[in-house]
Amino acid sequence: MLFDSHAHIGEQTDSAFIATASTEEMESASAYRYKALGIIPEGNEKDLDKLEAAAKDGWHIGEIGLDKRFEDLPHQEMIFREALRIAVRYDRVAVIHAVRTYGRTLEILEEEGIGKFIIHGFTGSYETAREVIKLGGMISLSPRAEMAKSFDKLITLPFLIETDMKAGKEEMDILSSWNERLSGKIGIDAGERSWKMIREVL
Ligand SMILES: [Zn+2]
């Protein structure tokens, strides 16, 4: 079973965890089996009601998080915390988008007491990755992770695999070659382990 731990709306599939960046995608995402509703980075208070309704209905929450490239980090933090509280309340997975904010993001995750979360597209340090795992979270690696300085050490830890692409044939081709590269390096089937890890929480 090759499963993409983080993809976006494209073709219909049960082999990917579909995340959204805005609540406007809710209708098109609703057809997927594994899905999360999110708001990054400029969601507002009104979106939180939609997140809550989705969580009640079985959706996971994400992408949510903090992104230094956008303005108003205090407002981003407020929305992020409220979204995490929804995930905690309904026992859903939070899919975290963090750009140049790993330290602050981890503080908030810890303060909000969330146990089920994925830092998607992880390119941080080995130490940060260990913190994530200590908090009960998972790191998810896309092919971009190969460019991270920490890559060789990161893959000694358990990780999910993802493409962050639109679901479809190209996405599955990329996922499959990414899995082959990783599996060759670590000597076990990375994709199979990833699926075992994520299916426990989805
Ligand atoms: Zn994404």
mmCIF file with all atom_site columns, all heavy atoms in Angstrom, residues 184-198:
data_model
loop_
_atom_site.group_PDB
_atom_site.id
_atom_site.type_symbol
_atom_site.label_atom_id
_atom_site.label_alt_id
_atom_site.label_comp_id
_atom_site.label_asym_id
_atom_site.label_entity_id
_atom_site.label_seq_id
_atom_site.pdbx_PDB_ins_code
_atom_site.Cartn_x
_atom_site.Cartn_y
_atom_site.Cartn_z
_atom_site.occupancy
_atom_site.B_iso_or_equiv
_atom_site.pdbx_formal_charge
_atom_site.auth_seq_id
_atom_site.auth_comp_id
_atom_site.auth_asym_id
_atom_site.auth_atom_id
_atom_site.pdbx_PDB_model_num
ATOM 1   N N   . GLY A 1 184 ? 15.686 2.565  -0.262 1.00 0.00 ? 184 GLY A N   1
ATOM 2   C CA  . GLY A 1 184 ? 17.052 2.158  -0.579 1.00 0.00 ? 184 GLY A CA  1
ATOM 3   C C   . GLY A 1 184 ? 18.043 2.661  0.459  1.00 0.00 ? 184 GLY A C   1
ATOM 4   O O   . GLY A 1 184 ? 19.004 1.986  0.807  1.00 0.00 ? 184 GLY A O   1
ATOM 5   N N   . LYS A 1 185 ? 17.788 3.853  0.969  1.00 0.00 ? 185 LYS A N   1
ATOM 6   C CA  . LYS A 1 185 ? 18.702 4.436  1.955  1.00 0.00 ? 185 LYS A CA  1
ATOM 7   C C   . LYS A 1 185 ? 18.552 3.804  3.325  1.00 0.00 ? 185 LYS A C   1
ATOM 8   O O   . LYS A 1 185 ? 19.531 3.620  4.045  1.00 0.00 ? 185 LYS A O   1
ATOM 9   C CB  . LYS A 1 185 ? 18.451 5.940  2.087  1.00 0.00 ? 185 LYS A CB  1
ATOM 10  C CG  . LYS A 1 185 ? 19.150 6.773  1.027  1.00 0.00 ? 185 LYS A CG  1
ATOM 11  C CD  . LYS A 1 185 ? 18.842 8.250  1.238  1.00 0.00 ? 185 LYS A CD  1
ATOM 12  C CE  . LYS A 1 185 ? 19.590 9.128  0.258  1.00 0.00 ? 185 LYS A CE  1
ATOM 13  N NZ  . LYS A 1 185 ? 21.021 9.269  0.570  1.00 0.00 ? 185 LYS A NZ  1
ATOM 14  N N   . ILE A 1 186 ? 17.317 3.527  3.746  1.00 0.00 ? 186 ILE A N   1
ATOM 15  C CA  . ILE A 1 186 ? 17.128 3.057  5.119  1.00 0.00 ? 186 ILE A CA  1
ATOM 16  C C   . ILE A 1 186 ? 16.982 1.539  5.231  1.00 0.00 ? 186 ILE A C   1
ATOM 17  O O   . ILE A 1 186 ? 16.959 0.998  6.332  1.00 0.00 ? 186 ILE A O   1
ATOM 18  C CB  . ILE A 1 186 ? 15.935 3.758  5.818  1.00 0.00 ? 186 ILE A CB  1
ATOM 19  C CG1 . ILE A 1 186 ? 14.597 3.429  5.148  1.00 0.00 ? 186 ILE A CG1 1
ATOM 20  C CG2 . ILE A 1 186 ? 16.160 5.273  5.861  1.00 0.00 ? 186 ILE A CG2 1
ATOM 21  C CD1 . ILE A 1 186 ? 13.392 4.010  5.881  1.00 0.00 ? 186 ILE A CD1 1
ATOM 22  N N   . GLY A 1 187 ? 16.870 0.878  4.085  1.00 0.00 ? 187 GLY A N   1
ATOM 23  C CA  . GLY A 1 187 ? 16.867 -0.580 4.121  1.00 0.00 ? 187 GLY A CA  1
ATOM 24  C C   . GLY A 1 187 ? 15.562 -1.228 4.566  1.00 0.00 ? 187 GLY A C   1
ATOM 25  O O   . GLY A 1 187 ? 15.531 -2.433 4.829  1.00 0.00 ? 187 GLY A O   1
ATOM 26  N N   . ILE A 1 188 ? 14.499 -0.446 4.713  1.00 0.00 ? 188 ILE A N   1
ATOM 27  C CA  . ILE A 1 188 ? 13.165 -1.028 4.913  1.00 0.00 ? 188 ILE A CA  1
ATOM 28  C C   . ILE A 1 188 ? 12.204 -0.281 3.989  1.00 0.00 ? 188 ILE A C   1
ATOM 29  O O   . ILE A 1 188 ? 12.566 0.759  3.449  1.00 0.00 ? 188 ILE A O   1
ATOM 30  C CB  . ILE A 1 188 ? 12.651 -0.901 6.377  1.00 0.00 ? 188 ILE A CB  1
ATOM 31  C CG1 . ILE A 1 188 ? 12.512 0.579  6.775  1.00 0.00 ? 188 ILE A CG1 1
ATOM 32  C CG2 . ILE A 1 188 ? 13.533 -1.650 7.357  1.00 0.00 ? 188 ILE A CG2 1
ATOM 33  C CD1 . ILE A 1 188 ? 11.598 0.801  7.956  1.00 0.00 ? 188 ILE A CD1 1
ATOM 34  N N   . ASP A 1 189 ? 10.991 -0.826 3.843  1.00 0.00 ? 189 ASP A N   1
ATOM 35  C CA  . ASP A 1 189 ? 10.012 -0.159 2.982  1.00 0.00 ? 189 ASP A CA  1
ATOM 36  C C   . ASP A 1 189 ? 9.424  1.062  3.711  1.00 0.00 ? 189 ASP A C   1
ATOM 37  O O   . ASP A 1 189 ? 8.560  0.926  4.577  1.00 0.00 ? 189 ASP A O   1
ATOM 38  C CB  . ASP A 1 189 ? 8.912  -1.157 2.598  1.00 0.00 ? 189 ASP A CB  1
ATOM 39  C CG  . ASP A 1 189 ? 7.975  -0.596 1.534  1.00 0.00 ? 189 ASP A CG  1
ATOM 40  O OD1 . ASP A 1 189 ? 7.768  0.640  1.498  1.00 0.00 ? 189 ASP A OD1 1
ATOM 41  O OD2 . ASP A 1 189 ? 7.454  -1.388 0.742  1.00 0.00 ? 189 ASP A OD2 1
ATOM 42  N N   . ALA A 1 190 ? 9.939  2.230  3.355  1.00 0.00 ? 190 ALA A N   1
ATOM 43  C CA  . ALA A 1 190 ? 9.532  3.466  4.040  1.00 0.00 ? 190 ALA A CA  1
ATOM 44  C C   . ALA A 1 190 ? 8.041  3.733  3.849  1.00 0.00 ? 190 ALA A C   1
ATOM 45  O O   . ALA A 1 190 ? 7.360  4.206  4.763  1.00 0.00 ? 190 ALA A O   1
ATOM 46  C CB  . ALA A 1 190 ? 10.338 4.648  3.497  1.00 0.00 ? 190 ALA A CB  1
ATOM 47  N N   . GLY A 1 191 ? 7.528  3.416  2.673  1.00 0.00 ? 191 GLY A N   1
ATOM 48  C CA  . GLY A 1 191 ? 6.124  3.676  2.378  1.00 0.00 ? 191 GLY A CA  1
ATOM 49  C C   . GLY A 1 191 ? 5.197  2.801  3.200  1.00 0.00 ? 191 GLY A C   1
ATOM 50  O O   . GLY A 1 191 ? 4.152  3.256  3.673  1.00 0.00 ? 191 GLY A O   1
ATOM 51  N N   . GLU A 1 192 ? 5.594  1.555  3.369  1.00 0.00 ? 192 GLU A N   1
ATOM 52  C CA  . GLU A 1 192 ? 4.765  0.648  4.156  1.00 0.00 ? 192 GLU A CA  1
ATOM 53  C C   . GLU A 1 192 ? 4.744  1.083  5.616  1.00 0.00 ? 192 GLU A C   1
ATOM 54  O O   . GLU A 1 192 ? 3.688  1.092  6.260  1.00 0.00 ? 192 GLU A O   1
ATOM 55  C CB  . GLU A 1 192 ? 5.337  -0.756 4.030  1.00 0.00 ? 192 GLU A CB  1
ATOM 56  C CG  . GLU A 1 192 ? 4.350  -1.831 4.431  1.00 0.00 ? 192 GLU A CG  1
ATOM 57  C CD  . GLU A 1 192 ? 4.972  -3.220 4.298  1.00 0.00 ? 192 GLU A CD  1
ATOM 58  O OE1 . GLU A 1 192 ? 5.406  -3.562 3.174  1.00 0.00 ? 192 GLU A OE1 1
ATOM 59  O OE2 . GLU A 1 192 ? 5.053  -3.912 5.321  1.00 0.00 ? 192 GLU A OE2 1
ATOM 60  N N   . ARG A 1 193 ? 5.905  1.475  6.127  1.00 0.00 ? 193 ARG A N   1
ATOM 61  C CA  . ARG A 1 193 ? 5.955  1.948  7.518  1.00 0.00 ? 193 ARG A CA  1
ATOM 62  C C   . ARG A 1 193 ? 5.126  3.229  7.671  1.00 0.00 ? 193 ARG A C   1
ATOM 63  O O   . ARG A 1 193 ? 4.403  3.394  8.657  1.00 0.00 ? 193 ARG A O   1
ATOM 64  C CB  . ARG A 1 193 ? 7.399  2.209  7.950  1.00 0.00 ? 193 ARG A CB  1
ATOM 65  C CG  . ARG A 1 193 ? 7.495  2.628  9.414  1.00 0.00 ? 193 ARG A CG  1
ATOM 66  C CD  . ARG A 1 193 ? 8.920  2.910  9.839  1.00 0.00 ? 193 ARG A CD  1
ATOM 67  N NE  . ARG A 1 193 ? 9.492  4.005  9.065  1.00 0.00 ? 193 ARG A NE  1
ATOM 68  C CZ  . ARG A 1 193 ? 10.752 4.428  9.204  1.00 0.00 ? 193 ARG A CZ  1
ATOM 69  N NH1 . ARG A 1 193 ? 11.550 3.837  10.074 1.00 0.00 ? 193 ARG A NH1 1
ATOM 70  N NH2 . ARG A 1 193 ? 11.209 5.427  8.476  1.00 0.00 ? 193 ARG A NH2 1
ATOM 71  N N   . SER A 1 194 ? 5.227  4.114  6.701  1.00 0.00 ? 194 SER A N   1
ATOM 72  C CA  . SER A 1 194 ? 4.483  5.368  6.736  1.00 0.00 ? 194 SER A CA  1
ATOM 73  C C   . SER A 1 194 ? 2.977  5.098  6.802  1.00 0.00 ? 194 SER A C   1
ATOM 74  O O   . SER A 1 194 ? 2.245  5.689  7.604  1.00 0.00 ? 194 SER A O   1
ATOM 75  C CB  . SER A 1 194 ? 4.845  6.179  5.482  1.00 0.00 ? 194 SER A CB  1
ATOM 76  O OG  . SER A 1 194 ? 4.027  7.305  5.341  1.00 0.00 ? 194 SER A OG  1
ATOM 77  N N   . TRP A 1 195 ? 2.514  4.185  5.968  1.00 0.00 ? 195 TRP A N   1
ATOM 78  C CA  . TRP A 1 195 ? 1.084  3.848  5.955  1.00 0.00 ? 195 TRP A CA  1
ATOM 79  C C   . TRP A 1 195 ? 0.660  3.264  7.311  1.00 0.00 ? 195 TRP A C   1
ATOM 80  O O   . TRP A 1 195 ? -0.372 3.617  7.864  1.00 0.00 ? 195 TRP A O   1
ATOM 81  C CB  . TRP A 1 195 ? 0.776  2.900  4.795  1.00 0.00 ? 195 TRP A CB  1
ATOM 82  C CG  . TRP A 1 195 ? -0.575 2.247  4.868  1.00 0.00 ? 195 TRP A CG  1
ATOM 83  C CD1 . TRP A 1 195 ? -0.829 0.908  4.903  1.00 0.00 ? 195 TRP A CD1 1
ATOM 84  C CD2 . TRP A 1 195 ? -1.867 2.899  4.913  1.00 0.00 ? 195 TRP A CD2 1
ATOM 85  N NE1 . TRP A 1 195 ? -2.186 0.688  4.970  1.00 0.00 ? 195 TRP A NE1 1
ATOM 86  C CE2 . TRP A 1 195 ? -2.847 1.888  4.973  1.00 0.00 ? 195 TRP A CE2 1
ATOM 87  C CE3 . TRP A 1 195 ? -2.268 4.236  4.914  1.00 0.00 ? 195 TRP A CE3 1
ATOM 88  C CZ2 . TRP A 1 195 ? -4.216 2.168  5.030  1.00 0.00 ? 195 TRP A CZ2 1
ATOM 89  C CZ3 . TRP A 1 195 ? -3.642 4.513  4.988  1.00 0.00 ? 195 TRP A CZ3 1
ATOM 90  C CH2 . TRP A 1 195 ? -4.589 3.486  5.034  1.00 0.00 ? 195 TRP A CH2 1
ATOM 91  N N   . LYS A 1 196 ? 1.497  2.399  7.873  1.00 0.00 ? 196 LYS A N   1
ATOM 92  C CA  . LYS A 1 196 ? 1.160  1.820  9.183  1.00 0.00 ? 196 LYS A CA  1
ATOM 93  C C   . LYS A 1 196 ? 1.053  2.893  10.249 1.00 0.00 ? 196 LYS A C   1
ATOM 94  O O   . LYS A 1 196 ? 0.204  2.835  11.140 1.00 0.00 ? 196 LYS A O   1
ATOM 95  C CB  . LYS A 1 196 ? 2.229  0.787  9.613  1.00 0.00 ? 196 LYS A CB  1
ATOM 96  C CG  . LYS A 1 196 ? 2.023  -0.558 8.974  1.00 0.00 ? 196 LYS A CG  1
ATOM 97  C CD  . LYS A 1 196 ? 2.975  -1.570 9.575  1.00 0.00 ? 196 LYS A CD  1
ATOM 98  C CE  . LYS A 1 196 ? 2.888  -2.882 8.812  1.00 0.00 ? 196 LYS A CE  1
ATOM 99  N NZ  . LYS A 1 196 ? 4.163  -3.608 8.803  1.00 0.00 ? 196 LYS A NZ  1
ATOM 100 N N   . MET A 1 197 ? 1.961  3.886  10.165 1.00 0.00 ? 197 MET A N   1
ATOM 101 C CA  . MET A 1 197 ? 1.947  4.955  11.167 1.00 0.00 ? 197 MET A CA  1
ATOM 102 C C   . MET A 1 197 ? 0.706  5.827  11.028 1.00 0.00 ? 197 MET A C   1
ATOM 103 O O   . MET A 1 197 ? 0.042  6.159  12.000 1.00 0.00 ? 197 MET A O   1
ATOM 104 C CB  . MET A 1 197 ? 3.195  5.848  11.017 1.00 0.00 ? 197 MET A CB  1
ATOM 105 C CG  . MET A 1 197 ? 4.484  5.210  11.542 1.00 0.00 ? 197 MET A CG  1
ATOM 106 S SD  . MET A 1 197 ? 5.969  6.109  10.934 1.00 0.00 ? 197 MET A SD  1
ATOM 107 C CE  . MET A 1 197 ? 5.755  7.722  11.708 1.00 0.00 ? 197 MET A CE  1
ATOM 108 N N   . ILE A 1 198 ? 0.394  6.212  9.810  1.00 0.00 ? 198 ILE A N   1
ATOM 109 C CA  . ILE A 1 198 ? -0.684 7.193  9.628  1.00 0.00 ? 198 ILE A CA  1
ATOM 110 C C   . ILE A 1 198 ? -2.058 6.539  9.778  1.00 0.00 ? 198 ILE A C   1
ATOM 111 O O   . ILE A 1 198 ? -3.003 7.167  10.269 1.00 0.00 ? 198 ILE A O   1
ATOM 112 C CB  . ILE A 1 198 ? -0.547 7.972  8.303  1.00 0.00 ? 198 ILE A CB  1
ATOM 113 C CG1 . ILE A 1 198 ? -1.379 9.260  8.365  1.00 0.00 ? 198 ILE A CG1 1
ATOM 114 C CG2 . ILE A 1 198 ? -0.924 7.148  7.090  1.00 0.00 ? 198 ILE A CG2 1
ATOM 115 C CD1 . ILE A 1 198 ? -1.118 10.256 7.255  1.00 0.00 ? 198 ILE A CD1 1
#
